[in-house]
Amino acid sequence: MTTRRHSTPRDPGRREPVAAPPPRAFRHRWMLDWAAPWEYTAHAVRGEVVRVQSEFQEIEIVETEAYGRCLLLDGEVQSFEADEHIYHESLVHPALLLHAAPRDVLVLGGGEGATLREVLRHRSVRRAVMVDLDPHVVAAAREHLPTFHAGSFDDPRTKLRFGDGRAFVETSRERFDVVIIDVTNPMAGGPSCRLFTAEFYERVRDRLNPGGLVALQSDAVTLHGLESAAMIYRTVRSAWPHAASYAVFLPAYTTDWSFTLAGPGSVDAAAVDPTEIDARIAARVSTPLGFYDGIAHRRLFHLPRYVRDAFQKRGPVSRDARPLQEQYPGYTG
């Protein structure tokens, strides 16, 4: 998944990664994934698979006892092998199935290759452009996370590019049917803050073909941490006339994670009948899915009342001059 603490800008340059110490074995190292100053989830780590210091971040892959391999960037948990398919199927398939015939798709971020994997399941897709900041994340995933990318980096439809995702959106003249934004959370001081602003979403809008859709990960929705997701929803609504938020429970994170779907036309995803979703999957998706189907779709788009209420409250949007910045996922206090 890449749940999402760091992200796209800066020029990756030509520098090689700094040599890191050899992998270590643990019995056990406890990996703490903080949700707030007073709350964390702990995972027992069996051993370290690889650790590399790139120009941008420390890249680490570890083997956990309960959830398989896990990618960390600068010590922050990104994706777990056991449940990443829940996240990535939820991020990708609603947008691609609600579009009439997605052929050209842009993926911003998604260094593990799992978002790309899900995009390429769609028979209609003829070109998938993936733009990620750090080539060393992709290199580590290619070698050590084969179940995440499942060969998607080498698919002939894939066009893999490295660099600043925002710069690509602002300078490219290419257009796409669907844009998937799978970047890390807007952590304070991190570069991804610039990929959650109204100005950025306006530029993304310019890259869409008529009738195009955008889907993005939009942060955790915990009982005490709704501020970020609500601000992201308001910010998306400032750029598109129609938007819908949805969420899925991620076992390794012990909480729901939200996504936002938007476009120029009506996005009434909750009204689509489960049998219609199943029919579209059967007709358009080339290999079986592990999580997403018609019933799962219905659950995704029916949020609890306290979440809906938080999203409907008036409040600020994230702008370049004053971007959303988190201390912990979903928590800005």
Side-chain angles (χ1 to χ4, degrees):
M1 124 185 87
T2 311
T3 59
R4 293 343 317 176
R5 267 78 150 183
H6 301 279
S7 174
T8 321
R10 290 167 56 190
D11 182 343
R14 299 175 179 272
R15 287 166 42 178
E16 292 301 313
V18 176
R24 298 169 291 178
F26 306 100
R27 182 73 181 155
H28 289 108
R29 161 190 170 189
W30 287 95
M31 181 173 70
L32 306 183
D33 185 22
W34 290 88
W38 53 81
E39 182 179 3
Y40 64 79
T41 302
H43 296 276
V45 176
R46 183 182 306 167
E48 188 176 69
V49 177
V50 68
R51 181 158 45 105
V52 174
Q53 180 68 51
S54 78
E55 182 181 358
F56 305 102
Q57 57 207 338
E58 182 185 63
I59 303 157
E60 186 179 18
I61 297 172
V62 300
E63 190 81 39
T64 69
E65 290 287 356
Y67 290 95
R69 292 194 171 183
C70 174
L71 172 68
L72 301 94
L73 299 179
D74 285 339
E76 297 286 355
V77 172
Q78 304 295 310
S79 303
F80 287 90
E81 185 175 12
D83 68 353
E84 58 82 9
H85 69 286
I86 299 175
Y87 171 95
H88 289 106
E89 289 182 21
S90 300
L91 170 63
V92 170
H93 295 296
L96 268 70
L97 290 173
L98 290 171
H99 191 282
R103 302 181 70 186
D104 299 296
V105 178
L106 172 63
V107 176
L108 297 175
E112 312 98 317
T115 298
L116 186 63
R117 176 196 72 208
E118 296 304 322
V119 167
L120 294 172
R121 290 182 191 266
H122 286 255
R123 297 185 181 96
S124 64
V125 172
R126 66 179 183 184
R127 182 175 63 116
V129 177
M130 174 179 160
V131 182
D132 195 84
L133 172 64
D134 195 338
H136 302 303
V137 173
V138 172
R142 186 190 290 271
E143 182 175 358
H144 299 290
L145 299 175
T147 62
F148 286 64
H149 61 80
S152 59
F153 295 129
D154 300 315
D155 190 290
R157 295 170 291 172
T158 296
K159 310 300 178 186
L160 186 59
R161 304 176 186 179
F162 295 107
D164 180 336
R166 176 158 178 168
F168 175 85
V169 168
E170 291 179 340
T171 61
S172 175
R173 292 296 172 262
E174 299 179 64
R175 290 187 176 272
F176 301 91
D177 300 310
V178 177
V179 176
I180 307 292
I181 306 175
D182 189 22
V183 299
T184 56
N185 277 2
M187 303 303 288
S192 61
C193 297
R194 299 175 65 250
L195 283 82
F196 286 89
T197 67
E199 292 86 349
F200 173 66
Y201 293 144
E202 289 165 3
R203 300 290 78 75
V204 171
R205 187 181 62 200
D206 295 340
R207 300 275 61 77
L208 287 173
N209 285 322
L213 295 171
V214 60
L216 57 138
Q217 79 85 7
S218 47
D219 226 316
V221 282
T222 66
L223 186 61
H224 302 295
L226 287 166
E227 301 95 338
S228 294
M231 183 181 287
I232 292 169
Y233 175 74
R234 291 193 299 268
T235 306
V236 171
R237 283 294 307 270
S238 74
W240 280 276
H242 302 280
S245 286
Y246 59 105
V248 67
F249 180 77
L250 297 178
Y253 286 84
T254 65
T255 192
D256 279 3
W257 204 270
S258 75
F259 308 87
T260 304
L261 176 67
S266 177
V267 185
D268 193 6
V272 181
D273 190 88
T275 59
E276 175 61 24
I277 294 295
D278 289 336
R280 293 183 192 182
I281 291 172
R284 294 162 57 170
V285 177
S286 61
T287 53
L289 303 179
F291 167 77
Y292 180 76
D293 63 2
I295 294 174
H297 177 93
R298 172 165 285 184
R299 183 260 187 249
L300 289 173
F301 285 91
H302 286 79
L303 297 173
R305 178 169 180 170
Y306 73 91
V307 177
R308 301 195 312 270
D309 288 347
F311 284 11
Q312 294 306 317
K313 288 181 180 177
R314 296 175 62 88
V317 302
S318 177
R319 298 193 179 277
D320 284 350
R322 193 170 182 178
L324 168 64
Q325 298 188 70
E326 299 178 333
Q327 303 298 321
Y328 301 90
Y331 179 79
T332 57

